[in-house]
Amino acid sequence: MSAPESTPTVAEGSDDEISLLDLLAVLAEHWKLLVFGPLAAGLAALGITFVVAPIFTATTRILPPQQQQSTAAMVAQQLGALAGIAGAATGLKNPADQYVALLKSRSVADRLIERFDLLRVYDEQYQQDARKELEGNTRISAGRDGLITIDVEDEDPKRAAAIANAYVEELGELVKRLALTEAQQRRGFFEKQLEQARDGLKRAQQALAAVGISESVLKAEPRAAAEGVAQLKAAVTAKEVQISAMRGYLAETSPDFRQAQQELAALRGQLARAEQSDPNASATGVTQDYISRYRDFKYQETLFELMARQFELARLDEAREGALIQVVDSAIPPERKSRPKRALVAIVTTLATGFLLLIAVFVRRAWRRAAATPDGAERLAAISAALGRRRA
């Protein structure tokens, strides 16, 4: 009874052995194709790499300006109430990313296309096609160390290095132009404010000179209190000018704008308390008239000084050539090509071809075995008919 029960197991094992032998038989039958086919494909790919023009990669690294925050802090110490304008105008949240965007701008690309005649080099008819070709041959990235890396690929190693270095030069020209335009706008704005402050100071001087100043008036004048109130008034006016300028580039919900409004409210509160505690509020006659005009004169004088400082800073920014871009590694003509990598191309082509041929051999074997059985022939016929209907 035990012998018949063990017969299927032996049969199953025999089937497995036959299947494994069939696989080995298929490999032995097509070993020439599976060996020489991938080798031939690999050699062909290797030969093609000798025909394809080599590509060289030149690299340059730059350090973007990092001094914007310190400049804003210096301006804050010098200008007091007007520091917010300079800080908002020159402060950068992420300078590296901004300079990467400038390097990728259309302005820089067009200058490089014109400078190196890339329409002819890339054999393109339109500017936008040459621009896309240049973008595809260039990689610009900002690292965590703050350095910006510019990689340029070209068939000519000297031209690759020249284009990589030209990126830095064109970035410098663009930064100069943008800084000059922004400084011109600020200079024009504060120039108008300075003219208004100068006119106000002249009127205050004339009004003060028109008052008859006697010895008793001079003795009764508490100069310090008058100057303190005048300076507070000037600070309030300066803060109002700052908020007016901030409306052009900040939303009212931004933290900087809200902080400026809070500072204005605090200055107004200090001014109100100073005016209420002013000992000259009860003065009458010539004394009151003189103190009022003197206070107005000090207010106009303080305001004029603040506007003059800001105007001078704008003039200095306008005269300055722009932010300093430091070149860490200047691009040099590469000695070795970056691609194609002949050995890697040959190995990958050989392995991929061998894998595809192996799959093709087993699929062909399975197709033939399926066609040899009635059920398999019917399935293959149904598949062929379905494919024929789709093609029709």
Side-chain angles (χ1 to χ4, degrees), residues 211-281:
V211 178
I213 305 177
S214 62
E215 184 178 356
S216 60
V217 173
L218 290 175
K219 291 180 179 179
E221 177 217 339
R223 185 182 298 267
E227 290 183 358
V229 174
Q231 289 176 358
L232 280 174
K233 283 186 177 181
V236 170
T237 303
K239 182 60 67 174
E240 290 175 348
V241 172
Q242 174 189 347
I243 292 177
S244 177
M246 293 175 68
R247 293 182 188 275
Y249 53 83
L250 288 179
E252 294 186 0
T253 56
S254 64
D256 292 339
F257 190 85
R258 290 182 176 178
Q259 181 179 359
Q261 287 182 323
Q262 293 175 359
E263 292 175 356
L264 177 59
L267 288 174
R268 286 175 175 172
Q270 292 179 11
L271 177 61
R273 289 191 296 269
E275 290 178 341
Q276 291 176 1
S277 60
D278 188 1
N280 302 310

Side-chain angles (χ1 to χ4, degrees), residues 97-113:
D97 291 342
Q98 187 176 46
Y99 281 97
V100 169
L102 291 177
L103 285 166
K104 294 181 179 180
S105 65
R106 179 174 56 84
S107 300
V108 173
D110 289 345
R111 286 284 301 145
L112 293 175
I113 292 172

Side-chain angles (χ1 to χ4, degrees), residues 348-363:
V348 171
T349 303
T350 301
L351 294 177
T353 304
F355 180 73
L356 293 176
L357 288 177
L358 184 63
I359 293 178
V361 166
F362 283 118
V363 169

Side-chain angles (χ1 to χ4, degrees), residues 64-83:
Q66 303 290 324
Q67 74 276 13
Q68 289 86 358
Q69 297 297 330
S70 59
T71 302
M74 180 185 65
V75 172
Q77 294 176 358
Q78 294 181 354
L79 298 184
L82 292 180

Side-chain angles (χ1 to χ4, degrees), residues 13-327:
S14 300
D15 292 340
D16 293 339
E17 292 176 0
I18 292 173
S19 299
L20 180 59
L21 290 176
D22 286 344
L23 295 178
L24 295 176
V26 171
L27 295 177
E29 182 181 356
H30 300 88
W31 72 271
K32 292 183 179 181
L33 176 64
L34 296 176
V35 172
F36 293 107
L39 290 178
L43 292 175
L46 182 62
I48 292 174
T49 58
F50 284 95
V51 178
V52 175
I55 302 299
F56 297 88
T57 302
T59 302
T60 183
R61 293 181 178 85
I62 63 175
L63 178 65
Q66 303 290 324
Q67 74 276 13
Q68 289 86 358
Q69 297 297 330
S70 59
T71 302
M74 180 185 65
V75 172
Q77 294 176 358
Q78 294 181 354
L79 298 184
L82 292 180
I85 299 178
T90 60
L92 294 177
K93 297 297 183 181
N94 200 342
D97 291 342
Q98 187 176 46
Y99 281 97
V100 169
L102 291 177
L103 285 166
K104 294 181 179 180
S105 65
R106 179 174 56 84
S107 300
V108 173
D110 289 345
R111 286 284 301 145
L112 293 175
I113 292 172
E114 179 183 359
R115 182 172 173 178
F116 294 95
D117 194 14
L118 295 183
L119 283 174
R120 179 188 59 81
V121 174
Y122 295 152
D123 193 18
E124 299 290 352
Q125 183 178 1
Y126 300 103
Q127 189 87 355
Q128 62 181 8
D129 295 331
R131 201 179 297 130
K132 291 181 180 179
E133 187 78 12
L134 177 62
E135 182 181 357
N137 294 336
T138 305
R139 294 188 303 273
I140 303 174
S141 60
R144 295 183 179 179
D145 53 3
L147 297 179
I148 296 177
T149 303
I150 305 172
D151 296 323
V152 178
E153 296 180 346
D154 199 278
E155 296 178 0
D156 186 355
K158 294 183 179 179
R159 186 168 56 218
I163 294 177
N165 291 326
Y167 263 104
V168 182
E169 298 172 4
E170 296 300 332
L171 173 63
E173 294 297 327
L174 179 61
V175 169
K176 292 177 187 178
R177 187 167 68 251
L178 294 177
L180 183 62
T181 302
E182 188 269 342
Q184 286 175 342
Q185 293 177 353
R186 286 196 294 119
R187 180 188 57 78
F189 173 79
F190 284 106
E191 187 175 8
K192 294 179 181 178
Q193 297 295 327
L194 183 61
E195 289 296 329
Q196 296 177 5
R198 183 182 289 111
D199 294 339
L201 180 59
K202 288 181 180 179
R203 292 193 298 268
Q205 287 175 337
Q206 294 173 359
L208 181 61
V211 178
I213 305 177
S214 62
E215 184 178 356
S216 60
V217 173
L218 290 175
K219 291 180 179 179
E221 177 217 339
R223 185 182 298 267
E227 290 183 358
V229 174
Q231 289 176 358
L232 280 174
K233 283 186 177 181
V236 170
T237 303
K239 182 60 67 174
E240 290 175 348
V241 172
Q242 174 189 347
I243 292 177
S244 177
M246 293 175 68
R247 293 182 188 275
Y249 53 83
L250 288 179
E252 294 186 0
T253 56
S254 64
D256 292 339
F257 190 85
R258 290 182 176 178
Q259 181 179 359
Q261 287 182 323
Q262 293 175 359
E263 292 175 356
L264 177 59
L267 288 174
R268 286 175 175 172
Q270 292 179 11
L271 177 61
R273 289 191 296 269
E275 290 178 341
Q276 291 176 1
S277 60
D278 188 1
N280 302 310
S282 59
T284 58
V286 179
T287 303
Q288 176 64 35
D289 189 23
Y290 170 75
I291 292 175
S292 177
R293 295 189 183 189
Y294 177 78
R295 181 182 297 164
D296 183 59
F297 166 74
K298 294 304 296 182
Y299 159 74
Q300 295 293 341
E301 185 182 41
T302 305
L303 183 61
F304 177 80
E305 291 177 357
L306 291 174
M307 294 301 172
R309 290 180 184 178
Q310 186 68 359
F311 175 70
E312 289 300 324
L313 279 178
R315 288 183 58 186
L316 290 175
D317 290 341
E318 186 178 7
R320 191 176 55 188
E321 293 185 354
L324 177 62
I325 300 173
Q326 303 179 60
V327 179

